[in-house]
Amino acid sequence: MMKDGQLFRVIDENCWSPEARIRDMDNTGVTVQALSTVPVMFSYWAKPEDTLDLCRIINNDIASTVGKYPTRFVGLATLPMQAPELAVQELKRCVKDLGFRGIEIGSHINDWNLDAPELHPVFAACEELGVSVFVHPWDMELGGRMKKYWLPWLVGMPGETAAAICCMMFGGVLEQFPGLKVCFAHGCGAFPFTLGRIEHGFNVRPDLCATDSTISPRSYIGRIYSDSLVHDPQALKLLVNVIGKDNIILGSDYPFPLGEHHPGKLIESMDDFNEELKDKLLAANAVKFLDLDRAMFDPLLNGTKSIEPQSKRAKMATD
């Protein structure tokens, strides 16, 4: 992949070949995978009509893959979020014509944070249509002090995600759209560890933090979802304690270096987690988040052969 004439990333066939993905899924015991585009393809910077064209190409391709392998993939659509009217138009097409249950959006849309009033029509449409929203960090600062040590991905992404969560909470988005289901990537970034600081700031400086909503950040715990991609057992325990056992779904970041190369391995290794909790994190919560019929995908429920030898548990992984 090239960006501005420079090499951005080397990718392999598992970025575009469903057959290659299925081979990897079978080798790691992943039952079903949620497909979404890579954030660099969001193209929020482009002319809205051009982004809409690209979104339609991407969404049609994802839908085609899901249609070819309906028991192995589900799709998350991408939208021209910089043009909310066009975004709602494409959202409705994806739901009514293509059967999507969710969308993927960036942690901000150009100069808009996720509390921007301009985005409210998109969130309202998602709530009305029962479409879940997966928020992925993107467009981090790449230059200056951040240009070395892969800092944009290691430090910038967790900060981006925490900022997105704070904006949706402080901005009253979750209050205004109580039926909206939102999941944040990479273990909610820095948010779980800094929730105490965020709550304290809300209480001591309401003139700065409570200008658009008087609901405390901690009140939204149980409303937001997170993926499980934290790479550390203590971090995963914290995530379960903060976000809640019913609101964490298996994250993979497949097929990139920062992903969990064997999706679900950390969850399965947790001696402190019982089988019920492991099932919630590996499959049940994702099914709930996307409002899916688990029997369509789970070989242990629909009578088909389980995936062997890697795992006898169902796993539903987000990209």
Side-chain angles (χ1 to χ4, degrees), residues 211-226:
T211 57
D212 296 323
S213 174
T214 58
I215 306 297
S216 72
R218 201 177 293 273
S219 299
Y220 291 112
I221 298 302
R223 277 284 315 280
I224 65 172
Y225 287 75
S226 171

Side-chain angles (χ1 to χ4, degrees), residues 65-82:
T65 299
V66 173
K68 188 176 181 181
Y69 300 103
T71 64
R72 303 309 303 271
F73 298 113
V74 296
L76 301 180
T78 185
L79 305 176
M81 294 292 289
Q82 74 272 40

